[in-house]
Amino acid sequence: MTRGGEAALHAFVEGRRTALFRSAYLLCGNRDEAEDLVQTALVKVVLGARRHGRLENLDAYARRTLVNTFIAGRRRFWRRERAYGELPDAPQPLPDNDTGLMVRAALAGLAPKQRAVLVLRYWEDLSVAATAELLGMRESTVKSHTARGLAALRAAVREEHV
């Protein structure tokens, strides 16, 4: 790879790291795990860009790598390392009126692919077609994951309010 290509790759990584972290946080629901996910995905993106030369859409490649790494990590849950700084004596209750925490908790209860579809559709603001292409699934599957995921989110938020 040329120096110009390396510089462009470095600029991409620096420019997109925060946006990828936000998506990763919504996928994982944990700041430390999201940072690890972004780091792993960016390493894969850099290695892929060096191996294949110039990639046509580096942003889409990075997003797809992030989501695929997340889903693959959820499939192999027995191999994943779970690190905890200090274990709490008891779980902290969620504040009653903090909607963001409630939605993130409900999002964490979804299946990984449903969560990925909702994050890509509503956080990344991708179309159904773009989400389907990114995840390698049919548009009808994206629509059904979206409908079921939103129904589960609504039910979880409704239960929390009651």
Side-chain angles (χ1 to χ4, degrees):
M1 185 171 257
T2 65
R3 281 190 183 190
E6 284 290 329
L9 191 57
H10 184 267
F12 171 80
V13 167
E14 289 300 316
R16 290 294 295 158
R17 180 186 305 267
T18 303
L20 289 172
F21 173 77
R22 289 179 183 142
S23 295
Y25 183 76
L26 288 173
L27 288 169
C28 300
N30 178 324
R31 182 178 180 84
D32 296 326
E33 189 178 347
E35 287 175 357
D36 290 344
L37 179 61
V38 169
Q39 185 66 29
T40 302
L42 286 175
V43 166
K44 290 179 180 181
V45 167
V46 168
L47 292 175
R50 287 180 179 162
R51 182 176 45 242
H52 299 298
R54 187 175 190 286
L55 294 172
E56 299 209 7
N57 191 346
L58 200 54
D59 189 41
Y61 183 72
R63 230 181 293 149
R64 182 176 188 141
T65 302
L66 181 81
V67 171
N68 287 346
T69 303
F70 166 74
I71 291 172
R74 295 296 179 189
R75 285 186 190 141
R76 295 184 300 262
F77 65 92
W78 62 90
R79 293 185 185 173
R80 287 183 35 105
E81 182 178 312
R82 294 192 153 226
Y84 298 97
E86 289 182 27
L87 293 176
D89 293 335
Q92 296 293 324
L94 292 176
D96 289 340
N97 53 355
D98 193 354
T99 306
L101 288 175
M102 189 181 343
V103 170
R104 285 194 299 271
L107 197 59
L110 297 177
K113 285 190 179 182
Q114 280 182 347
R115 193 177 329 163
V117 166
L118 290 179
V119 168
L120 290 172
R121 290 277 293 123
Y122 296 105
W123 181 258
E124 293 284 335
D125 200 26
L126 295 180
S127 66
V128 172
T131 303
E133 182 181 337
L134 190 70
L135 294 175
M137 56 178 65
R138 293 181 300 186
E139 289 184 24
S140 60
T141 306
V142 170
K143 290 177 184 177
S144 66
H145 278 316
T146 302
R148 290 183 186 130
L150 287 175
L153 282 177
R154 286 185 185 114
V157 168
R158 201 173 303 120
E159 284 178 16
E160 190 69 31
H161 279 298
V162 173

